[in-house]
Amino acid sequence: MLYCFLGAVLSGSVFGDHCSPIPDTTILSSTGAQCAHIGHVVSRLPYALL
């Protein structure tokens, strides 16, 4: 039961980090790649949803 709980929490946090437009990793990676911030978020959505 503990492994199911930990798996759900970790996968939810990774999904939220990929789909949210405000985490620090998204802002830093779009700034480092010199691309539009929202464009970077939209390009990450298919991978997170898959």
Side-chain angles (χ1 to χ4, degrees), residues 9-31:
V9 169
L10 292 176
S11 65
S13 66
V14 170
F15 180 79
D17 185 50
H18 275 41
C19 292
S20 178
I22 58 170
D24 55 344
T25 55
T26 303
I27 294 170
L28 288 174
S29 59
S30 65
T31 303

Side-chain angles (χ1 to χ4, degrees), residues 26-49:
T26 303
I27 294 170
L28 288 174
S29 59
S30 65
T31 303
Q34 296 178 348
C35 66
H37 179 68
I38 297 300
H40 182 68
V41 173
V42 171
S43 71
R44 290 175 65 164
L45 282 176
Y47 298 108
L49 292 175

